[in-house]
Amino acid sequence: MTNSIEDVCEQAQVIVLVGSNPEEAHPVMGMRIRRAVERGAKLIVVDPRDIGLASKADIHLKLRPGTNVAFANGMVNAIIAQGLVDKGFVANRTEGFDELAAMVADYTPEKVAEICGIDARDLMQAAALYAKADRAPIIYCLGVAEHSTGTEGVMSLSNIAMVCGKFGKPGCGVNPLRGQNNVQGACDMGAGPADFTGYQKVADPDALAKFEAAWGVRMNRTPGLKATECFPAMIEGRIKGLFIFGEDPIRTDPDTHHVIRALESLEFLVVEELFMTETAKYADVILPGRSYAEKEGTFTNTERRVQRVRKAVDGPAGPRLDTEVFAEIMRRMGYDQPSLSAAQIMDEIASLTPSYAGISHARLDGAQVAGRGIQWPCPSADHPGTPIMHVEQFSRGKGTYSLAQYRPSAELPDAEYPLVLMTGRVLAQYNACAMTGRTEGLNEISGESFIELNTVDAEQLGVVDGDRVRVASRRGEIETTARVSGKTNPGQTWMPFHFQDGNSNWLTNAALDSIAKVPEYKVCAVRVEKA
């Protein structure tokens, strides 16, 4: 997030919510957005479904799944056509505007309306409402990212903000909602295969030399694979062993048959977990893990806020800390490791990571920031943290525009599979249900698989609300329960991915975004028939 949660919810005059259902996937954020609307903020919802916040929206662009790039290009076209460009910001803070303007010239409201399945007048109104506001954030989530053009979709949203001068200001910016509480922290710590901590690149000779000096070892110069690239590599025999912790890809990754085949191709699989998961059933070795409540450390949340986590309970005897497990494996593989406390590890992170350089457990525990955390970048111990990014300049100097053209999704409906399937989350459950699925009260609220069908499609299929149906794609078939309504448009369906009794990921497509390698969870072609 370029801005802070409080900033975008309390300061905003207009909120643009794209591909996100925060009331169910990020309920605290969803509550705050609803409260912002109740105090008078205007809301533009860009989503293929009638999510809860759509009923509170001033404009709901119920666009066709997979058309986010066309929508964003159409917004820029409409902003230019209505004379609403922030010319000063564009001239002083960005470069390449003429090329962008030439590219989006073809994305007239009428053409975009046809691509997206929306009203051209609504697009023009949304562009004007956003551009004219002094404080207007764009908030997005996986409905933008989980497409074969997901990265281009995100970058295209930044075009909208730049042409309107809405970076580096309160109540503005482009703000992703991270799917889990420490996803941002994991990325910050170098979880990307081409990154060291703080997004320092393995390909950067200076960064490489710094880490080699600190760790006393020659580093591999070749970037690794992204998580989704690992599964084909297992089948091809390029990856022979795998260590999985805190992840259940058999339930959460697309095309479950493909994931199982990949795991069965391994010579050795280790899973570290709190509970027996679907993935753990395939492991050669299962190591017991510790929960967040049994650990010391930090989480970095969606707004870049580094917060302390303190051990609250003693768990069962036996499970060791993740850091102890990793260090012991490294020792046994010939690379001696010291035993470090969580605070010492944080100090090492700070010593090697400019954006975290001013953060320590001692400072996070101190009276000045206790309970509030610190937002990176925080380059020194006396720096207060950075609530708003890109205030005076972008990290590259001047901002540059994405020139991505709209491309259809990798798999579109046809005569054999005539419906589009989207996937997502429900409020009562969390990801693979490893923890929430063991909570009886939550299972009573929502404990079984279902598929949302539009009323028109259901009538043609002879299906009524509550019927059992078979759902098939080119990759698999499941049985689930129909929920018939107008939440989706005709020709479109939606399923949660939480439930093993009819998991949508047996159906989803493992087509990957060309840049970030994110799977296209949000669009695949399916057939539905009464069971």
Side-chain angles (χ1 to χ4, degrees):
M1 289 179 71
T2 59
N3 291 51
S4 302
I5 292 171
E6 182 174 2
D7 181 59
V8 299
C9 293
E10 302 300 329
Q11 297 285 329
Q13 298 163 324
V14 175
I15 295 172
V16 182
L17 184 67
V18 188
S20 176
N21 183 11
E23 287 191 308
E24 298 204 58
H26 305 88
V28 174
M29 189 71 179
M31 177 185 66
R32 297 191 68 161
I33 292 173
R34 183 177 283 262
R35 191 167 66 191
V37 172
E38 290 170 351
R39 67 160 172 78
K42 302 293 185 182
L43 178 63
I44 301 167
V45 170
V46 185
D47 198 284
R49 296 172 68 226
D50 286 336
I51 61 172
L53 283 168
S55 66
K56 300 290 184 181
D58 297 89
I59 302 169
H60 179 197
L61 297 173
K62 200 173 180 181
L63 79 177
R64 186 172 288 116
T67 61
N68 295 312
V69 172
F71 152 74
N73 289 345
M75 284 282 284
V76 175
N77 177 296
I79 289 163
I80 294 172
Q82 295 177 84
L84 298 174
V85 173
D86 185 332
K87 294 180 180 178
F89 187 93
V90 165
N92 297 323
R93 294 284 309 272
T94 75
E95 59 188 15
F97 175 77
D98 290 343
E99 290 85 349
L100 173 71
M103 189 272 290
V104 302
D106 290 338
Y107 290 85
T108 63
E110 294 73 25
K111 178 178 178 179
V112 171
E114 183 178 346
I115 294 171
C116 296
I118 58 176
D119 191 313
R121 293 168 296 182
D122 290 340
L123 181 69
M124 292 289 287
Q125 185 183 355
L129 189 62
Y130 171 78
K132 290 178 181 179
D134 292 327
R135 300 185 301 279
I138 296 172
I139 300 171
Y140 75 92
C141 193
L142 299 177
V144 176
E146 288 181 342
H147 292 275
S148 54
T149 56
T151 304
E152 293 173 344
V154 173
M155 294 191 295
S156 297
L157 292 181
S158 75
N159 288 348
I160 302 173
M162 281 200 291
V163 298
C164 294
K166 288 182 170 54
F167 273 115
K169 299 176 181 178
C172 290
V174 177
N175 302 282
L177 302 181
R178 306 310 297 259
Q180 299 171 61
N181 67 334
N182 204 22
V183 167
Q184 185 65 58
C187 295
D188 296 347
M189 292 302 103
D195 292 345
F196 293 116
T197 57
Y199 311 96
Q200 300 171 89
K201 301 301 176 186
V202 173
D204 179 355
D206 292 337
L208 192 66
K210 179 174 71 172
F211 281 88
E212 286 184 337
W215 292 342
V217 66
R218 178 177 168 78
M219 304 291 290
N220 191 328
R221 264 67 177 160
T222 305
L225 299 177
K226 293 181 171 69
T228 48
E229 295 176 300
C230 291
F231 296 104
M234 296 176 213
I235 294 169
E236 296 163 10
R238 291 186 288 126
I239 291 179
K240 301 181 184 299
L242 190 68
F243 190 118
I244 296 176
F245 69 109
E247 193 81 8
D248 191 3
I250 286 181
R251 289 187 77 155
T252 61
D253 278 48
D255 190 355
T256 304
H257 286 293
H258 173 70
V259 175
I260 291 174
R261 182 184 169 204
L263 295 179
E264 289 180 334
S265 299
L266 292 167
E267 294 179 8
F268 192 59
L269 173 62
V270 182
V271 173
E272 182 187 336
E273 261 296 352
L274 305 181
F275 304 103
M276 177 59 73
T277 64
E278 294 301 311
T279 302
K281 294 175 183 177
Y282 287 81
D284 297 291
V285 173
I286 300 173
L287 299 175
R290 287 197 193 181
S291 73
Y292 74 97
E294 302 165 73
K295 301 176 184 177
E296 292 282 332
T298 63
F299 288 157
T300 305
N301 75 354
T302 193
E303 60 178 355
R304 298 172 284 106
R305 190 179 300 277
V306 184
Q307 298 171 294
R308 277 282 277 122
V309 178
R310 296 172 182 84
K311 182 178 177 181
V313 298
D314 290 318
R320 300 168 69 176
L321 293 170
D322 302 323
T323 49
E324 291 179 358
V325 172
F326 300 150
E328 182 61 23
I329 290 172
M330 292 165 79
R331 292 185 195 110
R332 296 189 186 198
M333 294 177 71
Y335 180 45
D336 193 31
Q337 287 295 293
S339 294
L340 300 177
S341 67
Q344 289 172 319
I345 293 170
M346 191 73 221
D347 289 341
E348 181 183 336
I349 292 166
S351 72
L352 292 167
T353 314
S355 58
Y356 275 69
I359 302 175
S360 66
H361 281 200
R363 189 176 179 202
L364 291 171
D365 290 338
Q368 286 187 320
V369 299
R372 299 199 313 273
I374 300 171
Q375 288 174 275
W376 65 258
C378 179
S380 62
D382 58 355
H383 192 282
T386 307
I388 302 174
M389 296 182 74
H390 316 310
V391 172
E392 295 180 357
Q393 66 174 19
F394 294 100
S395 57
R396 69 181 299 278
K398 287 193 172 184
T400 189
Y401 298 97
S402 168
L403 299 180
Q405 300 273 6
Y406 163 69
R407 291 182 287 115
S409 300
E411 182 178 81
L412 297 174
D414 58 16
E416 186 177 4
Y417 299 98
L419 301 173
V420 169
L421 173 66
M422 304 171 278
T423 68
R425 306 177 181 190
V426 298
L427 174 63
Q429 299 290 352
Y430 185 70
N431 278 18
C433 294
M435 292 181 279
T436 54
R438 290 171 167 78
T439 307
E440 291 181 8
L442 296 179
N443 288 329
E444 289 177 15
I445 297 169
S446 185
E448 295 179 342
S449 169
F450 63 89
I451 184 169
E452 291 179 357
L453 288 174
N454 181 271
T455 307
V456 173
D457 298 320
E459 186 174 343
Q460 292 175 349
L461 294 165
V463 171
V464 298
D465 191 65
D467 277 353
R468 295 293 289 175
V469 294
R470 279 189 294 273
V471 188
S473 75
R474 290 178 176 84
R475 289 155 295 280
E477 181 177 302
I478 61 170
E479 190 171 302
T480 188
T481 301
R483 290 191 182 177
V484 179
S485 71
K487 288 187 75 171
T488 61
N489 281 326
Q492 299 166 17
T493 70
W494 183 91
M495 288 188 72
F497 65 84
H498 310 289
F499 305 110
Q500 195 60 17
D501 65 311
N503 191 332
S504 59
N505 282 324
W506 289 97
L507 311 172
T508 47
N509 189 4
L512 301 181
D513 171 270
S514 61
I515 302 169
K517 307 302 180 184
V518 175
E520 190 151 52
Y521 288 104
K522 302 304 183 188
V523 179
C524 77
V526 298
R527 178 179 66 245
V528 178
E529 56 192 14
K530 193 170 181 177

